[in-house]
Amino acid sequence: MADLKTILLGRIAQTGPMSLSDYMAECLLHPDHGYYATRDPLGAEGDFTTAPEISQMFGEMIGLCLAQSWLDQGRPAPFTLAEAGPGRGTLMADILRATRAVPGFTEAAEVHLIEASPTLRAKQRALLGDAPTWHDSITTLPEDQPLFFMANEFFDALPVRQFIRTGPAWSERMVGSENDSLAWGLGKPAPHPALVHRLEDTKDGDLIEFCPAAAPIIQAIGARIETHGGTALIIDYGDWRSLGDTLQALSAHEPVDPLDSPGMADLTTHVDFEALANATPSAHSRLTAQGVFLERLGITQRAQTLAARLSDAALESHIAAHRRLTHPHEMGNLFKVLALFPKGKPPPPGCET
Protein backbone atom coordinates (compact mmCIF):
# COMPACT_ATOMS: atom_id res chain seq x y z
CA MET A 1 0.00 0.00 0.00
CA ALA A 2 1.35 3.44 -0.95
CA ASP A 3 2.21 5.77 1.92
CA LEU A 4 0.35 9.05 2.38
CA LYS A 5 3.12 11.17 0.89
CA THR A 6 3.00 9.16 -2.34
CA ILE A 7 -0.80 9.42 -2.41
CA LEU A 8 -0.70 13.20 -1.94
CA LEU A 9 2.00 13.70 -4.57
CA GLY A 10 -0.12 11.70 -7.01
CA ARG A 11 -3.18 13.81 -6.24
CA ILE A 12 -1.22 17.04 -6.73
CA ALA A 13 0.13 15.77 -10.05
CA GLN A 14 -3.43 15.13 -11.23
CA THR A 15 -5.39 18.09 -9.82
CA GLY A 16 -2.78 20.67 -8.81
CA PRO A 17 -1.77 22.13 -5.43
CA MET A 18 -4.13 21.70 -2.47
CA SER A 19 -5.10 24.09 0.29
CA LEU A 20 -3.55 23.68 3.72
CA SER A 21 -7.04 22.75 4.95
CA ASP A 22 -7.23 19.81 2.55
CA TYR A 23 -3.67 18.78 3.42
CA MET A 24 -4.38 18.82 7.17
CA ALA A 25 -7.58 16.84 6.71
CA GLU A 26 -5.74 14.14 4.79
CA CYS A 27 -2.84 14.02 7.27
CA LEU A 28 -5.09 13.79 10.32
CA LEU A 29 -8.11 11.84 9.11
CA HIS A 30 -7.17 9.72 6.06
CA PRO A 31 -8.85 6.36 6.79
CA ASP A 32 -5.69 4.30 6.21
CA HIS A 33 -2.84 6.71 6.92
CA GLY A 34 -4.36 9.55 8.97
CA TYR A 35 -2.62 10.50 12.20
CA TYR A 36 -5.72 10.19 14.41
CA ALA A 37 -7.03 7.14 12.57
CA THR A 38 -3.95 5.03 13.20
CA ARG A 39 -2.63 5.68 16.72
CA ASP A 40 -3.04 6.85 20.30
CA PRO A 41 -1.06 10.10 20.18
CA LEU A 42 -1.15 10.91 23.89
CA GLY A 43 1.28 10.53 26.76
CA ALA A 44 5.00 9.99 27.16
CA GLU A 45 5.07 7.33 24.47
CA GLY A 46 2.97 9.44 22.10
CA ASP A 47 3.54 12.85 20.57
CA PHE A 48 1.91 15.27 23.02
CA THR A 49 0.26 15.44 26.45
CA THR A 50 -3.01 17.23 27.22
CA ALA A 51 -4.12 18.80 30.50
CA PRO A 52 -6.35 15.88 31.62
CA GLU A 53 -3.37 13.53 31.28
CA ILE A 54 -1.19 15.83 33.39
CA SER A 55 -3.38 15.78 36.50
CA GLN A 56 -6.80 14.63 37.69
CA MET A 57 -7.27 18.15 39.10
CA PHE A 58 -7.98 19.57 35.64
CA GLY A 59 -10.97 17.31 35.06
CA GLU A 60 -12.19 17.76 38.60
CA MET A 61 -12.28 21.54 38.19
CA ILE A 62 -14.07 21.26 34.84
CA GLY A 63 -16.62 18.83 36.27
CA LEU A 64 -17.46 21.02 39.25
CA CYS A 65 -17.70 24.08 36.99
CA LEU A 66 -20.23 22.32 34.75
CA ALA A 67 -22.13 20.98 37.77
CA GLN A 68 -22.44 24.44 39.32
CA SER A 69 -23.68 25.81 36.00
CA TRP A 70 -26.23 22.97 35.93
CA LEU A 71 -27.37 23.93 39.44
CA ASP A 72 -27.57 27.61 38.47
CA GLN A 73 -29.85 26.69 35.57
CA GLY A 74 -32.33 24.78 37.73
CA ARG A 75 -30.98 21.19 37.62
CA PRO A 76 -32.51 20.25 34.24
CA ALA A 77 -33.04 16.51 33.66
CA PRO A 78 -32.21 14.78 31.48
CA PHE A 79 -29.36 16.66 29.84
CA THR A 80 -26.60 15.95 27.35
CA LEU A 81 -23.08 15.84 28.80
CA ALA A 82 -20.83 15.89 25.74
CA GLU A 83 -17.15 16.15 24.93
CA ALA A 84 -15.53 16.74 21.56
CA GLY A 85 -12.14 15.17 20.98
CA PRO A 86 -12.12 13.19 24.24
CA GLY A 87 -8.71 11.56 23.80
CA ARG A 88 -8.49 8.47 25.98
CA GLY A 89 -11.62 9.46 27.92
CA THR A 90 -9.60 10.72 30.88
CA LEU A 91 -11.31 14.11 31.13
CA MET A 92 -14.82 12.65 30.99
CA ALA A 93 -13.88 10.02 33.59
CA ASP A 94 -12.59 12.73 35.94
CA ILE A 95 -15.70 14.88 35.33
CA LEU A 96 -18.02 11.98 36.17
CA ARG A 97 -16.03 11.06 39.29
CA ALA A 98 -15.91 14.64 40.61
CA THR A 99 -19.61 15.28 40.01
CA ARG A 100 -20.85 12.17 41.81
CA ALA A 101 -20.89 14.37 44.91
CA VAL A 102 -23.46 16.70 43.29
CA PRO A 103 -26.91 15.21 43.97
CA GLY A 104 -28.74 14.37 40.75
CA PHE A 105 -26.06 15.46 38.28
CA THR A 106 -24.68 12.13 37.07
CA GLU A 107 -28.14 10.53 37.22
CA ALA A 108 -29.50 13.19 34.85
CA ALA A 109 -26.46 13.18 32.54
CA GLU A 110 -26.53 11.34 29.21
CA VAL A 111 -22.89 11.04 28.10
CA HIS A 112 -22.01 11.65 24.44
CA LEU A 113 -18.52 11.61 22.90
CA ILE A 114 -17.59 13.10 19.51
CA GLU A 115 -14.66 11.04 18.26
CA ALA A 116 -13.57 10.14 14.71
CA SER A 117 -10.65 7.87 15.63
CA PRO A 118 -11.39 4.13 15.97
CA THR A 119 -8.19 3.75 18.02
CA LEU A 120 -9.22 6.40 20.53
CA ARG A 121 -12.83 5.18 20.66
CA ALA A 122 -11.47 1.84 21.82
CA LYS A 123 -9.45 3.58 24.57
CA GLN A 124 -12.54 5.54 25.65
CA ARG A 125 -14.68 2.40 25.77
CA ALA A 126 -12.07 0.61 27.87
CA LEU A 127 -12.15 3.43 30.44
CA LEU A 128 -15.81 4.49 30.36
CA GLY A 129 -17.57 1.29 29.34
CA ASP A 130 -20.48 1.20 26.92
CA ALA A 131 -22.54 3.91 28.63
CA PRO A 132 -21.49 6.79 26.32
CA THR A 133 -22.99 7.31 22.88
CA TRP A 134 -20.37 7.98 20.23
CA HIS A 135 -20.73 10.42 17.34
CA ASP A 136 -18.69 11.27 14.26
CA SER A 137 -20.05 14.83 14.28
CA ILE A 138 -21.45 17.38 16.71
CA THR A 139 -24.50 17.76 14.46
CA THR A 140 -25.89 14.39 15.62
CA LEU A 141 -25.98 15.30 19.32
CA PRO A 142 -29.51 15.37 20.81
CA GLU A 143 -31.29 18.57 19.81
CA ASP A 144 -34.13 18.72 22.33
CA GLN A 145 -32.43 18.88 25.73
CA PRO A 146 -29.88 21.05 27.57
CA LEU A 147 -26.27 20.65 26.47
CA PHE A 148 -23.32 20.79 28.85
CA PHE A 149 -20.34 20.58 26.55
CA MET A 150 -16.57 20.38 26.83
CA ALA A 151 -13.85 20.72 24.17
CA ASN A 152 -10.23 20.66 25.32
CA GLU A 153 -7.68 20.87 22.51
CA PHE A 154 -10.31 20.11 19.88
CA PHE A 155 -10.52 23.27 17.79
CA ASP A 156 -6.73 23.51 17.38
CA ALA A 157 -6.81 20.32 15.27
CA LEU A 158 -9.48 21.53 12.84
CA PRO A 159 -7.99 22.15 9.38
CA VAL A 160 -7.27 25.80 8.51
CA ARG A 161 -6.57 27.75 5.37
CA GLN A 162 -3.72 30.27 5.33
CA PHE A 163 -3.72 33.53 3.36
CA ILE A 164 -1.05 36.16 2.77
CA ARG A 165 -2.21 39.72 2.19
CA THR A 166 -1.40 41.33 -1.15
CA GLY A 167 -2.89 44.83 -1.23
CA PRO A 168 -6.67 44.49 -0.87
CA ALA A 169 -6.51 40.81 -1.92
CA TRP A 170 -5.26 37.55 -0.44
CA SER A 171 -2.97 34.83 -1.82
CA GLU A 172 -3.74 31.40 -0.41
CA ARG A 173 -0.83 29.32 0.83
CA MET A 174 -0.94 25.97 -0.94
CA VAL A 175 0.78 22.59 -0.72
CA GLY A 176 2.32 21.54 -4.03
CA SER A 177 5.30 19.49 -5.14
CA GLU A 178 8.91 20.10 -6.10
CA ASN A 179 11.53 17.45 -6.95
CA ASP A 180 9.24 14.63 -5.75
CA SER A 181 8.74 16.30 -2.39
CA LEU A 182 5.89 18.31 -0.92
CA ALA A 183 6.52 22.06 -1.07
CA TRP A 184 4.81 25.35 -0.20
CA GLY A 185 3.42 27.65 -2.86
CA LEU A 186 1.01 30.57 -3.27
CA GLY A 187 -2.21 30.91 -5.21
CA LYS A 188 -3.09 33.98 -7.26
CA PRO A 189 -4.21 37.06 -5.27
CA ALA A 190 -7.98 37.39 -5.06
CA PRO A 191 -10.56 39.06 -2.80
CA HIS A 192 -11.96 36.89 -0.03
CA PRO A 193 -15.32 37.95 1.50
CA ALA A 194 -14.71 36.14 4.80
CA LEU A 195 -11.49 38.11 5.34
CA VAL A 196 -12.69 41.65 4.62
CA HIS A 197 -12.54 42.55 8.32
CA ARG A 198 -8.86 41.53 8.45
CA LEU A 199 -7.90 44.32 6.04
CA GLU A 200 -8.21 46.72 8.98
CA ASP A 201 -5.53 45.09 11.15
CA THR A 202 -3.06 43.63 8.62
CA LYS A 203 -0.49 44.92 6.14
CA ASP A 204 1.02 43.55 2.95
CA GLY A 205 2.83 40.29 3.58
CA ASP A 206 0.95 39.42 6.78
CA LEU A 207 -0.28 35.83 7.07
CA ILE A 208 -3.63 35.02 8.65
CA GLU A 209 -5.40 31.73 9.29
CA PHE A 210 -9.05 30.93 8.67
CA CYS A 211 -10.83 27.79 9.93
CA PRO A 212 -13.88 27.04 7.74
CA ALA A 213 -15.13 24.23 10.00
CA ALA A 214 -15.13 26.16 13.29
CA ALA A 215 -18.10 28.50 12.79
CA PRO A 216 -20.67 25.79 11.88
CA ILE A 217 -19.64 23.74 14.92
CA ILE A 218 -19.96 26.69 17.28
CA GLN A 219 -23.27 27.71 15.70
CA ALA A 220 -24.65 24.21 16.34
CA ILE A 221 -23.44 24.14 19.95
CA GLY A 222 -24.56 27.70 20.68
CA ALA A 223 -27.99 27.15 19.15
CA ARG A 224 -28.68 24.13 21.37
CA ILE A 225 -27.53 26.04 24.46
CA GLU A 226 -29.52 29.18 23.63
CA THR A 227 -32.67 27.18 22.89
CA HIS A 228 -32.57 24.49 25.58
CA GLY A 229 -30.01 25.71 28.13
CA GLY A 230 -26.60 24.46 29.09
CA THR A 231 -22.97 25.56 29.00
CA ALA A 232 -19.97 24.99 26.75
CA LEU A 233 -16.33 25.28 27.82
CA ILE A 234 -13.88 25.72 24.94
CA ILE A 235 -10.28 25.34 26.16
CA ASP A 236 -7.42 25.59 23.70
CA TYR A 237 -4.25 27.44 22.88
CA GLY A 238 -4.65 30.60 20.84
CA ASP A 239 -5.82 34.17 21.29
CA TRP A 240 -8.66 36.55 20.54
CA ARG A 241 -7.56 37.08 16.92
CA SER A 242 -4.96 35.08 14.99
CA LEU A 243 -2.07 36.68 13.14
CA GLY A 244 0.94 34.90 11.68
CA ASP A 245 1.80 31.31 10.86
CA THR A 246 0.92 29.14 13.88
CA LEU A 247 0.97 25.76 12.11
CA GLN A 248 3.03 23.25 14.03
CA ALA A 249 3.77 19.57 13.67
CA LEU A 250 4.77 17.44 16.67
CA SER A 251 6.31 13.99 16.72
CA ALA A 252 7.61 12.40 19.93
CA HIS A 253 7.03 15.74 21.71
CA GLU A 254 9.42 17.53 19.30
CA PRO A 255 8.60 19.97 16.47
CA VAL A 256 9.09 18.65 12.94
CA ASP A 257 8.53 20.01 9.42
CA PRO A 258 4.77 19.81 8.66
CA LEU A 259 5.48 18.60 5.11
CA ASP A 260 8.14 15.99 5.89
CA SER A 261 6.11 12.93 6.92
CA PRO A 262 2.38 13.43 6.30
CA GLY A 263 0.23 11.33 8.59
CA MET A 264 3.08 10.67 11.02
CA ALA A 265 2.91 13.89 13.07
CA ASP A 266 0.19 15.84 14.85
CA LEU A 267 -0.77 19.06 13.05
CA THR A 268 -2.35 21.96 14.94
CA THR A 269 -2.79 25.74 14.76
CA HIS A 270 -3.70 28.37 17.33
CA VAL A 271 -7.42 28.96 17.77
CA ASP A 272 -8.96 32.27 16.70
CA PHE A 273 -11.36 32.74 19.63
CA GLU A 274 -12.85 35.92 18.16
CA ALA A 275 -14.21 33.87 15.26
CA LEU A 276 -15.77 31.40 17.71
CA ALA A 277 -17.37 34.14 19.80
CA ASN A 278 -18.78 35.86 16.71
CA ALA A 279 -20.30 32.61 15.45
CA THR A 280 -22.40 31.61 18.48
CA PRO A 281 -26.06 32.65 18.79
CA SER A 282 -25.72 32.27 22.58
CA ALA A 283 -24.00 34.54 25.07
CA HIS A 284 -20.28 34.10 25.57
CA SER A 285 -17.77 34.97 28.27
CA ARG A 286 -14.62 37.03 28.08
CA LEU A 287 -11.58 35.11 26.97
CA THR A 288 -9.84 33.93 30.15
CA ALA A 289 -6.36 32.49 30.65
CA GLN A 290 -6.48 28.84 31.72
CA GLY A 291 -4.40 29.50 34.83
CA VAL A 292 -6.75 32.26 36.00
CA PHE A 293 -9.80 30.10 35.25
CA LEU A 294 -8.47 27.14 37.25
CA GLU A 295 -7.38 29.32 40.17
CA ARG A 296 -10.85 30.89 40.35
CA LEU A 297 -12.30 27.38 40.55
CA GLY A 298 -10.04 26.48 43.50
CA ILE A 299 -7.35 24.31 41.96
CA THR A 300 -4.70 25.45 44.45
CA GLN A 301 -6.86 24.42 47.42
CA ARG A 302 -7.49 21.07 45.73
CA ALA A 303 -3.76 20.70 45.06
CA GLN A 304 -2.98 21.33 48.73
CA THR A 305 -5.53 18.71 49.83
CA LEU A 306 -4.04 16.10 47.51
CA ALA A 307 -0.48 17.07 48.48
CA ALA A 308 -1.14 16.23 52.13
CA ARG A 309 -1.37 12.55 51.14
CA LEU A 310 1.83 12.50 49.05
CA SER A 311 5.57 12.45 49.63
CA ASP A 312 8.90 12.23 47.82
CA ALA A 313 8.70 11.72 44.03
CA ALA A 314 4.89 11.60 43.97
CA LEU A 315 4.72 14.97 45.74
CA GLU A 316 7.26 16.52 43.39
CA SER A 317 5.31 15.25 40.38
CA HIS A 318 2.07 16.65 41.82
CA ILE A 319 3.60 20.09 42.42
CA ALA A 320 5.02 20.11 38.89
CA ALA A 321 1.60 19.20 37.45
CA HIS A 322 -0.10 22.07 39.28
CA ARG A 323 2.55 24.47 38.02
CA ARG A 324 2.30 23.20 34.46
CA LEU A 325 -1.47 23.69 34.36
CA THR A 326 -1.54 27.16 35.92
CA HIS A 327 1.79 29.00 35.69
CA PRO A 328 1.86 31.89 33.17
CA HIS A 329 5.11 30.62 31.66
CA GLU A 330 3.68 27.14 31.06
CA MET A 331 0.06 26.30 30.10
CA GLY A 332 -1.47 29.01 32.29
CA ASN A 333 -1.35 31.82 29.71
CA LEU A 334 -0.88 29.86 26.50
CA PHE A 335 -4.26 28.15 26.89
CA LYS A 336 -7.48 30.15 27.00
CA VAL A 337 -11.08 29.47 28.04
CA LEU A 338 -14.21 30.67 26.26
CA ALA A 339 -17.60 29.79 27.75
CA LEU A 340 -20.96 29.73 25.99
CA PHE A 341 -24.21 30.01 27.95
CA PRO A 342 -27.81 31.18 27.41
CA LYS A 343 -28.48 34.90 27.15
CA GLY A 344 -29.78 36.24 30.43
CA LYS A 345 -28.13 33.46 32.49
CA PRO A 346 -24.94 33.79 34.55
CA PRO A 347 -21.65 32.60 33.04
CA PRO A 348 -20.21 29.41 34.50
CA PRO A 349 -17.88 29.74 37.51
CA GLY A 350 -14.39 30.89 36.63
CA CYS A 351 -15.60 32.99 33.67
CA GLU A 352 -16.74 36.60 33.40
CA THR A 353 -18.73 38.61 30.86
Side-chain angles (χ1 to χ4, degrees), residues 73 76 78 142-148 222-230 342:
Q73 293 187 36
E143 296 184 5
D144 58 353
Q145 60 188 34
L147 172 62
F148 290 79
R224 283 167 169 76
I225 289 172
E226 185 59 28
T227 302
H228 299 289

Side-chain angles (χ1 to χ4, degrees), residues 75-113:
R75 305 171 184 251
F79 69 90
T80 298
L81 178 62
E83 183 182 358
R88 294 171 172 169
T90 305
L91 176 55
M92 183 58 74
D94 288 340
I95 288 172
L96 292 172
R97 187 188 68 256
T99 54
R100 279 201 294 265
V102 181
F105 183 86
T106 54
E107 292 80 2
E110 297 178 356
V111 178
H112 294 259
L113 302 176

Side-chain angles (χ1 to χ4, degrees), residues 18 22 41 75 79-80 109 120 147 157-158 176 184 190 194 223-224 279 286 288 293 325 329 336 349:
M18 66 180 68
D22 286 346
R75 305 171 184 251
F79 69 90
T80 298
L120 290 176
L147 172 62
L158 294 180
W184 295 111
R224 283 167 169 76
R286 294 181 185 177
T288 305
F293 173 72
L325 290 173
H329 292 159
K336 309 293 195 306

Side-chain angles (χ1 to χ4, degrees), residues 9-29:
L9 286 171
R11 173 177 164 180
I12 291 166
Q14 287 187 330
T15 62
M18 66 180 68
S19 69
L20 174 58
S21 177
D22 286 346
Y23 176 74
M24 289 182 68
E26 292 287 351
C27 289
L28 297 176
L29 299 174

Side-chain angles (χ1 to χ4, degrees), residues 47-192:
D47 297 317
F48 60 89
T49 301
T50 61
E53 303 292 334
I54 292 170
S55 170
Q56 69 184 63
M57 295 183 294
F58 182 81
E60 290 171 349
M61 296 299 104
I62 298 302
L64 295 176
C65 173
L66 292 175
Q68 184 60 55
S69 186
W70 176 75
L71 292 171
D72 291 342
Q73 293 187 36
R75 305 171 184 251
F79 69 90
T80 298
L81 178 62
E83 183 182 358
R88 294 171 172 169
T90 305
L91 176 55
M92 183 58 74
D94 288 340
I95 288 172
L96 292 172
R97 187 188 68 256
T99 54
R100 279 201 294 265
V102 181
F105 183 86
T106 54
E107 292 80 2
E110 297 178 356
V111 178
H112 294 259
L113 302 176
I114 300 96
E115 179 59 69
S117 166
T119 301
L120 290 176
R121 280 194 184 195
K123 295 277 188 178
Q124 294 152 20
R125 184 172 282 106
L127 183 61
L128 299 169
D130 293 322
T133 299
W134 278 267
H135 302 260
D136 292 323
S137 167
I138 283 167
T139 59
T140 59
L141 289 174
E143 296 184 5
D144 58 353
Q145 60 188 34
L147 172 62
F148 290 79
F149 176 88
M150 178 63 215
N152 180 64
E153 291 199 57
F154 170 77
F155 283 90
D156 68 301
L158 294 180
V160 303
R161 298 169 69 183
Q162 290 184 333
F163 295 87
I164 295 176
R165 182 172 172 180
T166 308
W170 301 90
S171 299
E172 184 163 11
R173 199 177 186 209
M174 309 290 284
V175 177
S177 63
E178 183 177 324
N179 299 325
D180 294 325
S181 295
L182 297 168
W184 295 111
L186 286 178
K188 293 181 180 179
H192 199 291

Side-chain angles (χ1 to χ4, degrees), residues 330-344:
E330 299 208 30
M331 296 174 78
N333 273 357
L334 177 63
F335 282 76
K336 309 293 195 306
V337 182
L338 183 73
L340 312 184
F341 52 96
K343 294 174 183 175

